[in-house]
Structures are given as C-alpha cells and as structure tokens.
C-alpha cells in the first residue's frame, strides 16, 4: 500500500476541508502543514520535521501534546462512559468538575452550565443575563456593552459584542447593536501616563454610559487583563476592580471572558484573581480540557441561578447543546486540574515566564519593535513596518519563515506573540526565543 506523504495529505485537505480563519486562496502561496503526530511542545509532519508549538495550537494546549496523565485519564473514562445526555441525567466527571471549579472561585461562582466552544459559552452568558433581568421584572435591561477591539467569538450573539471589523463587518445586518467603550489597552498611554492612569481614563467612559443607560444595560463583557484577538492588548487589574464597583452601583452584570486568558495564562488560574474580584459570569474554554476535547462552560452566582429556579418552565434556562457536559471532555478537564495541583504549575510558570522574557530581551529595545509586554505566560511585541504593502503581508511572511525555522507562531497583524504550553524546559525556552529573534530579523530585513 502506498505511504501517504505530507503533500498527499495537503492536496486531499485542500480539496475537501474548508479551513478556519483562512482565505483559502492564500494556500497557493503558503502551503498547509500536514501533522502526523505530536509530543510535548512539538508537532511532527509526515516527513519527521518538527515544529515548536509556540502558540499552544490556538491557545488550547496547556501541558503538551499526548500528555501521559491526560491520556491515561481518557483511556480509563472510555471504558466507563463516553457520553450521556445531561438533561435528566448526570455523571461523575461533570459533577466533580463543577465542584472543583466552584472551589477555585471560593464558591463565589457555584453553578456551571456546559457547552462545547468558547463562542457558545459567551452566548450562554449573554442569554442568562438578559433572561435573569426579565425574570426579575427588569425586562427593559436588554443592552450589552463591550470594549473597543474586543473579540468574543463568531456566533451571532458573540459577534454582536465583538469589535474587530475583520470578523464582524460582513455580518452586520444579522447582529444586534451593542455599546462600545474605550479599551484600557496600556499601549494607549500618553507621555507620563501609567497603565493605571489609562485604566482610570477608560473607566470614565463606562461610568458615563452607565449613568445614562444603566437602567437599560444588562451586562458588560470583558476579556480580563489581555484582549487577545485585537493584538494582545494588556491592561491593569485596576480596570477590573473599578469596573466591578460600577457594575454593582448600577446593577449591571459583569461577564468575564476567560476563554483564552484563564487556566493560568496570565499567572493566576483566573485572570480576575489579580484584581481580587469575581464577576457575575465567567466563561471558560480552550485550555480547560488541556487542549484535548471541545469543552466550554459558564460559571455563575447563586443569585443568578435562583433567578431561574421556579415551577414555571418559561422561567427556566432552556438553552441546550447535545454534547453538554460530555463525560470524556470533563474527564480531560479533571486531569488538567489535577496536574495544576500536583505540579504546582502556577509557581513553575512564574519561573518559565521570567526566563522567556529574559531570553527575548533583545527584542524589547529593538529599533523595529515597540510595546514589548508580558502577562504571565503571554508575551507580545508590535513590529514596526513602515511600508503599507509589507505591513499587510507581515503575518503571513512571519508564519512562513517561522515554519522554516521549526517554529509555529502566527502573528495577529503586526503583533508577534508567544503563548506556549506549560511544559517548556530551559533548552526549549532558549530555542523558542532564539528562533523567534532569528525569524523576526529575517522578516523585517527581507
């Protein structure tokens, strides 16, 4: 039998698979990479070439590919229960996962509702907020607020609170209008301003909006500490603290989208812990299953839960997904949380983050970079590319050069970012940094 090569698999994929977040014609210049296996932080193609996964396969992989402990948990679960509907039934993995996540919030958020992807979690939180206010006799609270440059997913509800034109504009006629307020992005600091000053300035716009429309606003949604898809825009925890105070004052729900920034990415398990606050809803996905299986969830308060608790079916939250609380996905998440506990991951990540920043220090003062920044295991910088045509192709050129250097990095526009799995050893950290610097130098010079 003929051994399929990478080229064979790429050709077959291009004929049958419509790839995500991709202009398919670009693959005429930028070939697909056919992955045959993966181990730790490395992806391997059919010819045995390897690529260091510097972005955790779109921010989902926490403890490396083919992790032995997660593998073992899933193999054990396969022999017990792969899936059962969660309406009218329950099972051990979903109960234990819900309990453990509630405990991580100090039981401030004690109720978990499950779905499969991040956008679905956002939809759930938006619908819960809207429906809660209706159940509470406040049906006039129907409006939502998001930040400038925000991204919360690509379903219709999630797009309505997204402010990235590339994703949103084509579907404008389908979307409900939302309020967009200033981002606390620290890159917007004027001379002499700190990131806290930017946060205070941005919160003034929220305060004014709440003063004018608070009786109509159901919720504001924010990615805490890092707005990822807009270019890893980072802000002070002070913004979250001040926002929580405003939400309490004006009776507006606070939804925190921790889909990308939760699960330790920013240095704490939940990003909002750095502001010493809890939201009314927190959305999790991506890393919660260790990067193994689709899983998302919304954690919310007892107050919100009680707002739906009734003999009246119409007051219930009747949202559903066929694979809600999938047993295999929940078991992967339980194995992921076990690794956090047993390996003291957050403490070890502080050491990894410091070493990564030190290794990439030559880029911090580079004449062709600006805004070198870091929050936990997320590190980013913006490339200076004065030529508009070269700027427009920077991301694709960088990706191609990175692949040639056995590296998976996928810039957002001219923002180069690293978000690696939590398993890099010292040599891999040095290698990731050295290759990133080499790729950047070649792209700006070429």
């Amino acid at each position: 039998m003929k051994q399929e090569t990478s080229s064979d698999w790429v050709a077959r994929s291009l004929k049958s698979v419509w790839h995500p977040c991709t202009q398919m014609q670009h693959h005429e210049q930028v070939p697909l990479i056919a992955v045959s296996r993966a181990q730790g932080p490395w992806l391997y193609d059919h010819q045995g070439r390897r690529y260091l996964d510097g972005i955790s396969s779109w921010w989902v992989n926490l403890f490396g590919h083919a992790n032995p402990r997660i593998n073992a948990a899933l193999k054990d679960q396969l022999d017990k229960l792969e899936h059962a509907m969660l309406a009218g039934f329950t099972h051990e993995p979903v109960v234990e996962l819900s309990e453990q996540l509630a405990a991580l919030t100090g039981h401030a958020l004690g109720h978990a509702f499950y779905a499969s992807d991040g956008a679905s979690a956002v939809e759930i939180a938006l619908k819960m907020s809207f429906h809660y206010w209706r159940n509470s006799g406040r049906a006039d609270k129907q409006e939502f607020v998001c930040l400038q440059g925000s991204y919360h997913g690509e379903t219709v509800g999630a797009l309505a609170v997204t402010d990235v034109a590339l994703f949103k504009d084509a579907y404008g006629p389908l979307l409900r209008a939302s309020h967009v307020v200033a981002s606390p992005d620290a890159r917007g600091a004027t001379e002499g301003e700190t990131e806290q000053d930017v946060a205070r300035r941005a919160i003034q716009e929220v305060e004014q909006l709440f003063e004018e429309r608070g009786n109509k606003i159901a919720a504001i949604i924010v990615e805490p500490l890092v707005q990822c898809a807009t270019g890893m825009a980072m802000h002070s925890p002070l913004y979250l603290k001040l926002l929580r105070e405003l939400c309490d004052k004006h009776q507006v729900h606070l939804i925190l989208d921790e889909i990308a920034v939760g699960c330790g990415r920013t240095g704490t398990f939940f990003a909002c812990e750095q502001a010493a606050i809890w939201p009314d809803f927190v959305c999790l996905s991506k890393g919660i299953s260790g990067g193994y299986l689709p899983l998302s969830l919304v954690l919310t308060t007892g107050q919100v839960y009680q707002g739906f608790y009734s003999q009246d079916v119409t007051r219930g939250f009747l949202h559903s997904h066929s694979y809600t609380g999938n047993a295999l996905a929940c078991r992967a998440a339980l194995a992921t949380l076990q690794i956090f506990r047993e390996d003291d991951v957050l403490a070890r990540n502080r050491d990894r983050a410091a070493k990564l920043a030190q290794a990439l220090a030559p880029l911090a003062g580079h004449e062709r970079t600006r805004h070198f920044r870091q929050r936990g295991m997320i590190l980013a910088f913006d490339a200076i590319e004065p030529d508009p045509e070269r700027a427009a192709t920077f991301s694709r050129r960088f990706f191609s050069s990175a692949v040639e250097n056995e590296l998976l990095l996928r810039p957002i526009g001219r923002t180069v970012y690293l978000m690696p799995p939590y398993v890099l050893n010292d040599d891999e950290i040095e290698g990731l940094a050295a290759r990133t610097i080499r790729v950047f130098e070649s792209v700006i010079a070429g």
Side-chain angles (χ1 to χ4, degrees), residues 131-144:
H131 200 162
Y132 171 85
W133 291 119
R134 191 183 74 172
N135 283 355
S136 302
R138 301 290 304 276
D140 52 338
K141 291 174 75 69
Q142 300 182 6
E143 300 174 8
F144 294 98

Side-chain angles (χ1 to χ4, degrees), residues 352-367:
R352 287 190 185 97
K355 290 177 177 177
L356 188 58
Q358 183 177 9
L360 285 164
L363 290 174
H366 197 287
E367 64 179 2

